[in-house]
mmCIF file of all heavy atoms in Angstrom:
data_model
loop_
_atom_site.group_PDB
_atom_site.id
_atom_site.type_symbol
_atom_site.label_atom_id
_atom_site.label_comp_id
_atom_site.label_asym_id
_atom_site.label_seq_id
_atom_site.Cartn_x
_atom_site.Cartn_y
_atom_site.Cartn_z
ATOM 1 N N GLY A 25 113.291 114.199 119.595
ATOM 2 C CA GLY A 25 112.142 113.874 118.747
ATOM 3 C C GLY A 25 110.877 113.715 119.575
ATOM 4 O O GLY A 25 109.819 114.251 119.233
ATOM 5 N N ASN A 129 91.948 100.311 144.352
ATOM 6 C CA ASN A 129 92.634 99.208 143.668
ATOM 7 C C ASN A 129 94.052 99.034 144.224
ATOM 8 O O ASN A 129 95.018 99.586 143.737
ATOM 9 C CB ASN A 129 92.676 99.499 142.158
ATOM 10 C CG ASN A 129 93.161 98.310 141.370
ATOM 11 O OD1 ASN A 129 93.812 97.422 141.907
ATOM 12 N ND2 ASN A 129 92.833 98.304 140.077
ATOM 13 N N GLU A 162 109.939 83.946 140.949
ATOM 14 C CA GLU A 162 109.745 83.114 142.148
ATOM 15 C C GLU A 162 108.373 83.369 142.758
ATOM 16 O O GLU A 162 107.688 82.441 143.173
ATOM 17 C CB GLU A 162 110.832 83.415 143.188
ATOM 18 C CG GLU A 162 112.134 82.677 142.886
ATOM 19 C CD GLU A 162 113.295 83.187 143.731
ATOM 20 O OE1 GLU A 162 113.035 83.682 144.869
ATOM 21 O OE2 GLU A 162 114.448 83.120 143.258
ATOM 22 N N GLN A 518 114.588 93.010 88.245
ATOM 23 C CA GLN A 518 113.921 92.567 87.014
ATOM 24 C C GLN A 518 113.334 93.755 86.249
ATOM 25 O O GLN A 518 113.363 93.796 85.026
ATOM 26 C CB GLN A 518 112.813 91.560 87.346
ATOM 27 C CG GLN A 518 113.370 90.221 87.778
ATOM 28 C CD GLN A 518 112.252 89.309 88.241
ATOM 29 O OE1 GLN A 518 111.706 89.481 89.322
ATOM 30 N NE2 GLN A 518 111.904 88.354 87.415
ATOM 31 N N GLU A 601 161.483 92.507 68.376
ATOM 32 C CA GLU A 601 160.688 91.536 69.148
ATOM 33 C C GLU A 601 159.503 92.235 69.817
ATOM 34 O O GLU A 601 158.406 91.710 69.887
ATOM 35 C CB GLU A 601 161.567 90.890 70.243
ATOM 36 C CG GLU A 601 162.449 89.776 69.714
ATOM 37 C CD GLU A 601 163.335 89.170 70.803
ATOM 38 O OE1 GLU A 601 162.934 89.201 72.001
ATOM 39 O OE2 GLU A 601 164.422 88.700 70.471
ATOM 40 N N PRO A 637 151.433 98.111 87.091
ATOM 41 C CA PRO A 637 152.815 97.760 86.770
ATOM 42 C C PRO A 637 152.861 96.439 86.014
ATOM 43 O O PRO A 637 152.074 95.535 86.296
ATOM 44 C CB PRO A 637 153.478 97.596 88.139
ATOM 45 C CG PRO A 637 152.454 97.870 89.170
ATOM 46 C CD PRO A 637 151.171 98.189 88.527
ATOM 47 N N GLN A 678 159.471 97.954 95.506
ATOM 48 C CA GLN A 678 159.079 97.921 96.920
ATOM 49 C C GLN A 678 157.668 98.467 97.101
ATOM 50 O O GLN A 678 156.915 97.980 97.919
ATOM 51 C CB GLN A 678 160.044 98.771 97.772
ATOM 52 C CG GLN A 678 161.446 98.240 97.859
ATOM 53 C CD GLN A 678 161.514 96.899 98.583
ATOM 54 O OE1 GLN A 678 160.578 96.488 99.251
ATOM 55 N NE2 GLN A 678 162.630 96.214 98.423
ATOM 56 N N ARG A 796 145.640 101.136 99.728
ATOM 57 C CA ARG A 796 144.241 100.692 99.784
ATOM 58 C C ARG A 796 144.114 99.180 99.892
ATOM 59 O O ARG A 796 143.105 98.669 100.333
ATOM 60 C CB ARG A 796 143.452 101.241 98.596
ATOM 61 C CG ARG A 796 143.677 100.542 97.294
ATOM 62 C CD ARG A 796 142.710 101.060 96.237
ATOM 63 N NE ARG A 796 143.457 101.691 95.173
ATOM 64 C CZ ARG A 796 143.085 101.649 93.905
ATOM 65 N NH1 ARG A 796 141.966 101.062 93.560
ATOM 66 N NH2 ARG A 796 143.821 102.217 92.986
ATOM 67 N N GLU A 819 135.296 104.265 100.995
ATOM 68 C CA GLU A 819 133.880 104.009 100.720
ATOM 69 C C GLU A 819 133.153 105.293 100.360
ATOM 70 O O GLU A 819 132.396 105.359 99.419
ATOM 71 C CB GLU A 819 133.240 103.446 101.982
ATOM 72 C CG GLU A 819 132.658 102.084 101.844
ATOM 73 C CD GLU A 819 132.098 101.650 103.183
ATOM 74 O OE1 GLU A 819 130.940 101.965 103.461
ATOM 75 O OE2 GLU A 819 132.849 101.026 103.961
ATOM 76 N N GLY A 853 132.009 106.899 92.964
ATOM 77 C CA GLY A 853 130.995 107.304 91.996
ATOM 78 C C GLY A 853 129.645 106.652 92.244
ATOM 79 O O GLY A 853 128.618 107.158 91.806
#
Side-chain angles (χ1 to χ4, degrees):
N129 189 339
E162 279 168 28
Q518 288 174 285
E601 280 179 28
Q678 294 295 345
R796 77 173 117 146
E819 241 178 87

